[in-house]
Amino acid sequence: MELFFLALLVLLMAFALGSGFPVAFALPGSAILTIGIAAATGFIFSTGPDAFFDTGGAYQWLSAGVTNFRGIYWEAERDTLIAIPLFVFMGIMLQRSKIAEDLLVTMARLFGPVPGGLGISVVFVGALLAATTGIVGATVVAMGLISLPAMLRNNYSVPLATGTIAASGTLGQIIPPSIVLIILADQLASAVDQAGSLRQTLFKDSTGELSMPSDFAVVSTSAGEMFLGAFLPGLVLVGLYMLFILGFALINPKSAPAVHEEGTFTREFAGKVFMTLVPPLALIFLVLGSIIAGVATVNQAGAIGAVGAMVMAGYRLKEGEKGAYTPAILGVIALLGLAVVISFFGAVNIKRIETSQDVVALVLALISVSLILIAIFWSGWRTLKFEDTLRGVMVETAKTTSLVFIILLGAAMLTSAFRAFGGEHLVKEFLQGLPGGFWAQFLIVMLVIFILGFFLDFIEIAVVVVPIVAPILLADPSANVTAVWLGVMIGLNIQTSFLTPPFGFALFYLRGVAPAVVKTIDMYKGVVAFITLQLIALGIVGLYPQLVNYLPNRSSLLSETAPPPQNPRLQYCMENLIYADFQKNGDTILAAISKAEALDMSYLPKSLQKDLAKGFETAREAIPQMTAIRDAEAAVEVAAVDYRPFHSQVRALERDARRIDARIAELQVIVDRAGPTGIYTQEQGERAANRIKTLTGERDALLAQIPAEWEGVHKEFAAIQKAETNARRSYRRTVDDAYQPVLEAKAILRHADTLAAIESEIEVLREQIQTMEPDAAVEAIADMRGRVGEIEGTSDIRKGLTEARKIMRSRTPDLAAATAEIDNTIAELKADLSWRQKAAKELLPELVAYDQVINRNIGLRQQDRLPEDMALDVASCLSDHRDISLNF
């Protein structure tokens, strides 16, 4: 019966959507009706409202309108979703202020003389509008009203003209900032958590180990990373569109002729191009550049975009009038002023004003911020007074945002109902039962999303399908794909939903503004080529995941909050780089170690001598141990050839057996709760018991198919694999032990002058406490002890101060005893300085030279962050997907 109600849920949703019922109410309505019917049927004809639910019970799922709905409501306040109204406001403001119209007209004149130039200009403007507005309907309507008549006048092929406009208008779905990407990032965030749990469980079941290595974990994503990941694929799609139009024009010039306009390339026109292009490009740079540079979060970038769009609208609405550009000029001057302040004075903090220079920086910053506020309010006032533009934009923003959020809430309720009737289990079993592993599953999911795009909008697909299939795909260790790559691939696929008949929204928008001479069938013909190009782009991005993963990795590793080199996720790629460095510079490294071992360290304290000598000795082991890693890795690769078929066969059988075990456990609950006092009837209990027997037989039959030699083969391969793991662990311990003494010695010797300066202050303290009250003396000694403690390697010196403070804090302070302890401190300090200052002069330069040779290899893990060039190499390495399935 669960399958019946699951089918009813899908049919109700399809009927509601097909009959034109609003999506925002069709999704939750279908869920509530189906849950209600199932509960009522169970109450009337069976054992109770819970009878026909796969998991939980009717009361749990009926509460979707109360407790579950409340949970969904609070989830809608997630930080990621705040960016949606900001980017919607930005897009509608730019469209209402006719900046999009200016771009279309100007670019059409600029590209006109090129074969297919009008079409190329539409794609170019579509990409710019995508990066500034992201509103498909507004973009398609604007281009349909302005560009379509011009293209038809110049004898463009009707299918090419309409297809170009419809496809270019959809670029806003993949080129950031995009609402689709924000929603996908939000949905994938929870999917990553589920996938992480699934992978952890898989690792435990496969290996028996309780904890999974953190470098095998599923990597999460954010809206900012989705924006970065989609940037290059978006450019690939734009390039494909342009190449297609240019090629079409060259092959069939009559269908896409060049348009030559007299007097186009004049100084006045050049100025027009500059004023039309530069502000939107500057806004794109501020919004996307701030995200890429790590200066702003997606929400902050959205606020920048909204304010920037309002400032641009402020001068565009007053174009031709005196002082039209004054607010914008004020804003630009203020931003330049802030840039100058930050460049010359650094970060300005009103709580840390100490010098006159800080005061000057604060005053300049306040002036700049004041000018920015004036520019914003002035522009806002203009947009409000000119045809009430601001109010109209805010109303449209509220409508669009409300629609998105209501659909999110409704889709979450639909997903809850889908899971209530076992839909998620069915999907999981179907996908995992497919031959071909991850890529078969992935292709089926992509095909389903593509087909759904014929009937559903992008939001419904993103919030209904993604939460169900994403955890399954992300948990698979064979492909080990990143969440950002999966999100961008789904985003590219969803983009086709705007073009695919019969419900392609871009086609509806264009049909509404196209003249009667344009037939609907021509529009359908026109989009076929562009749908094909989108699928080609999908294939390119699928084959080259670096297009998606590189920019997020690069941004992460070069940001102020970059993960340290000891981060487990970085080790594999770092060790590949270090191996190459050892191969190239191994002799230089060994020579540096030999030179360091020959240094005279006889005057250093015994412990420091011992640590340094041990560190140099250990450093010699690094290169052989790295070679051992490569040998072990090669051994694993060789053994994997024969092992992989066994592994795939057995893990598939075990996975199916675990699925049966899970079903047996659910049926066992029915058996245990059946009877006169239970919630299930005796008949239901008997049926469940019989079903358990059948399933047990099926499970045993599956496990019997495991080859007899599997255990021996697995143990042999596990031993080879463990040798590689141990080699890597041994190498990491070795290089850490080799480099740590160098770091400590450098820190000790660099503070020799600082320690020498403190000597006289301790002597002054010795005299001062003679006339101090005990409490004041304790405070003064504690302060001095803290200052000494900030210097590396001063534990022996601090002992005297510690004892002196303890004496003065006792019930019977003894000034003479405290003074004697301070004398001990002074004596220890003098003895310490006798070797420390000599070593700072003689030994420190040699250690620094040694460090410069090994800090990018042996000492890399101990650095605060990766050097920029190595960070870029690691980002490139991390951008490919690495199969880790043999570890499971």
Side-chain angles (χ1 to χ4, degrees), residues 70 152 160 211 349 379 400 504 540 614 655 696 714 754 774:
R70 276 174 50 202
L152 296 179
L160 177 65
S211 61
N349 190 330
S379 299
T400 305
I540 291 171
K614 182 64 175 175
R655 180 194 63 216
T696 302
H714 174 62
T754 306

Side-chain angles (χ1 to χ4, degrees), residues 555-589:
S555 175
S556 171
L557 293 176
L558 294 181
S559 69
E560 292 296 323
T561 57
Q566 286 193 343
N567 187 294
R569 181 169 170 260
L570 308 181
Q571 301 310 302
Y572 178 81
C573 293
M574 278 172 44
E575 284 161 9
N576 288 341
L577 286 179
I578 292 170
Y579 175 76
D581 188 59
F582 282 160
Q583 294 294 104
K584 181 180 178 181
N585 301 311
D587 292 340
T588 304
I589 295 167

Side-chain angles (χ1 to χ4, degrees), residues 224-408:
E225 289 179 333
M226 289 292 292
F227 282 6
L228 292 173
F231 186 73
L232 292 179
L235 294 183
V236 168
L237 195 57
V238 170
L240 287 174
Y241 285 178
M242 288 184 172
L243 286 174
F244 168 74
I245 294 168
L246 181 61
F248 188 91
L250 293 174
I251 294 170
N252 192 0
K254 292 183 180 180
S255 296
V259 180
H260 298 280
E261 190 173 329
E262 292 295 328
T264 293
F265 296 103
T266 63
R267 183 176 299 177
E268 181 182 352
F269 178 67
K272 176 70 174 174
V273 171
F274 180 84
M275 290 307 300
T276 303
L277 267 182
V278 170
L281 288 174
L283 188 60
I284 293 169
F285 175 78
L286 283 174
V287 174
L288 298 184
S290 60
I291 296 172
I292 292 172
V295 175
T297 64
V298 171
N299 294 338
Q300 292 164 345
I304 293 170
V307 169
M310 191 168 66
V311 171
M312 288 170 62
Y315 71 71
R316 176 59 183 83
L317 294 173
K318 289 284 187 178
E319 190 173 32
E321 297 184 19
K322 186 178 180 181
Y325 292 95
T326 305
I329 292 171
L330 275 179
V332 171
I333 292 172
L335 288 175
L336 292 174
L338 279 178
V340 169
V341 170
I342 293 171
S343 299
F344 285 94
F345 300 101
V348 179
N349 190 330
I350 196 170
K351 295 181 178 180
R352 297 181 180 177
I353 302 299
E354 297 176 355
T355 66
S356 58
Q357 191 177 23
D358 294 336
V359 174
V360 171
L362 179 63
V363 171
L364 291 175
L366 288 174
I367 292 172
S368 298
V369 171
S370 300
L371 289 176
I372 289 175
L373 291 174
I374 291 171
I376 292 171
F377 284 113
W378 194 345
S379 299
W381 178 255
R382 282 184 172 183
T383 56
L384 180 64
K385 300 305 290 182
F386 188 86
E387 298 181 357
D388 211 13
T389 301
L390 181 60
R391 182 179 179 277
V393 170
M394 294 183 74
V395 168
E396 286 300 315
T397 301
K399 288 180 180 178
T400 305
T401 305
S402 299
L403 176 65
V404 171
F405 276 71
I406 290 172
I407 292 175
L408 283 172

Side-chain angles (χ1 to χ4, degrees), residues 563-567 570-579 581-582 622 626 731-732 734-740 743 851-871 873-874:
Q566 286 193 343
N567 187 294
L570 308 181
Q571 301 310 302
Y572 178 81
C573 293
M574 278 172 44
E575 284 161 9
N576 288 341
L577 286 179
I578 292 170
Y579 175 76
D581 188 59
F582 282 160
M626 178 57 75
Y731 167 79
R732 292 165 194 173
T734 295
V735 292
D736 288 348
D737 292 343
Y739 193 66
Q740 191 62 39
L743 282 181
D851 182 42
Q852 289 174 347
V853 176
I854 68 166
N855 62 12
R856 291 170 60 91
N857 38 71
I858 294 174
L860 184 60
R861 280 171 49 86
Q862 297 292 319
Q863 304 303 314
D864 294 331
R865 57 188 298 128
L866 288 171
E868 184 173 342
D869 60 327
M870 297 189 78
D873 288 335
V874 170

Side-chain angles (χ1 to χ4, degrees), residues 5-44:
F5 288 110
L6 186 63
L8 178 64
L9 173 69
V10 175
L11 289 173
L12 279 175
M13 181 186 70
F15 175 77
L17 293 172
S19 62
F21 203 71
V23 174
F25 303 106
L27 301 182
S30 306
I32 293 170
L33 280 175
T34 308
I35 288 172
I37 292 170
T41 304
F43 181 77
I44 296 171

Side-chain angles (χ1 to χ4, degrees), residues 33 77 123 139 302 311 333 337 344 385 398 408 484 487 547 610 629 683 694 718 723 778 780 823:
L33 280 175
E77 292 187 344
V123 175
T139 304
V311 171
I333 292 172
F344 285 94
K385 300 305 290 182
L408 283 172
V484 65
L547 288 170
K610 183 179 178 181
I629 290 176
E683 182 184 356
T694 303
V778 167
D823 288 337

